[in-house]
Amino acid sequence: MKLPRIKKQLLTLSLLLLLLGTAAGCVVKDSPAPGCVKYWPFAPMGGCFGKSIIKDLKVEPPIDCLAIEVNNCNGGILGVSNSCSETFVLGGVEIGPSEYNVGLDVLDQEDGRYLLTRTASNFSDYIPEEDELIELVGTLGEQKIRVSYTKTKKLC
């Protein structure tokens, strides 16, 4: 059976695109920072480009109704969800009961204490010159919650 010329060209183009699609995303150089990972021949589609990360997150004591997680997609922020019945305060930011997925980034340091700020996205504006240990003491009602992590310098 003979295919018309246009169908042959479409079939060839489809096969070429399929091959390129499967080759996309081959990691050449890995990194914990999404923006530092090198791919061949090109990166897969996505929106994570951070060159700094948060690592070694510790929350003490752990509280069942309070989730503090790391989002390293675009430079490293904390994500806080408070399903407790009391307000959680960390780095000068209040997170009320039933507030979920609140992004927190380092704003500044005042009197040796770190201040945080809410972020409307997952982008971090704070990238230290050197890896920096950040230690915070928050409160959930009357209970103290210690949060510590390392914010890295640019990894590439």
Side-chain angles (χ1 to χ4, degrees):
M1 180 177 154
K2 200 165 186 169
L3 291 175
R5 181 180 169 111
I6 191 80
K7 285 189 177 182
K8 275 187 181 180
Q9 289 174 342
L10 285 174
L11 182 60
T12 303
L13 181 61
S14 297
L15 287 173
L16 182 61
L17 289 173
L18 181 64
L19 285 173
L20 281 175
T22 59
C26 294
V27 175
V28 174
K29 179 184 172 198
D30 203 6
S31 173
C36 296
V37 177
K38 301 291 181 204
Y39 297 92
W40 184 89
F42 48 85
M45 293 187 62
C48 294
F49 305 106
K51 295 184 178 184
S52 174
I53 65 166
I54 290 175
K55 64 181 186 177
D56 304 327
L57 174 67
K58 292 181 187 144
V59 179
E60 298 168 331
I63 307 290
D64 288 339
C65 60
L66 184 66
I68 302 175
E69 300 170 338
V70 172
N71 180 336
N72 279 329
C73 187
N74 287 305
I77 65 166
L78 294 177
V80 180
S81 293
N82 181 6
S83 59
C84 305
S85 60
E86 299 177 287
T87 297
F88 176 57
V89 180
L90 184 66
V93 177
E94 289 187 9
I95 300 164
S98 299
E99 278 195 80
Y100 301 97
N101 301 316
V102 176
L104 298 177
D105 192 17
V106 175
L107 176 64
D108 209 351
Q109 199 172 5
E110 186 177 283
D111 300 326
R113 294 182 3 231
Y114 286 95
L115 297 176
L116 302 178
T117 186
R118 285 179 183 247
T119 63
S121 66
N122 64 5
F123 287 86
S124 174
D125 291 327
Y126 187 78
I127 301 174
E129 293 293 320
E130 294 297 323
D131 288 3
E132 200 167 303
L133 177 63
I134 296 177
E135 298 178 308
L136 303 155
V137 177
T139 56
L140 180 65
E142 297 296 316
Q143 183 172 8
K144 290 194 183 295
I145 311 286
R146 297 188 186 287
V147 176
S148 65
Y149 60 90
T150 300
K151 177 74 178 212
T152 67
K153 63 184 179 184
K154 282 187 179 179
L155 298 178
C156 59

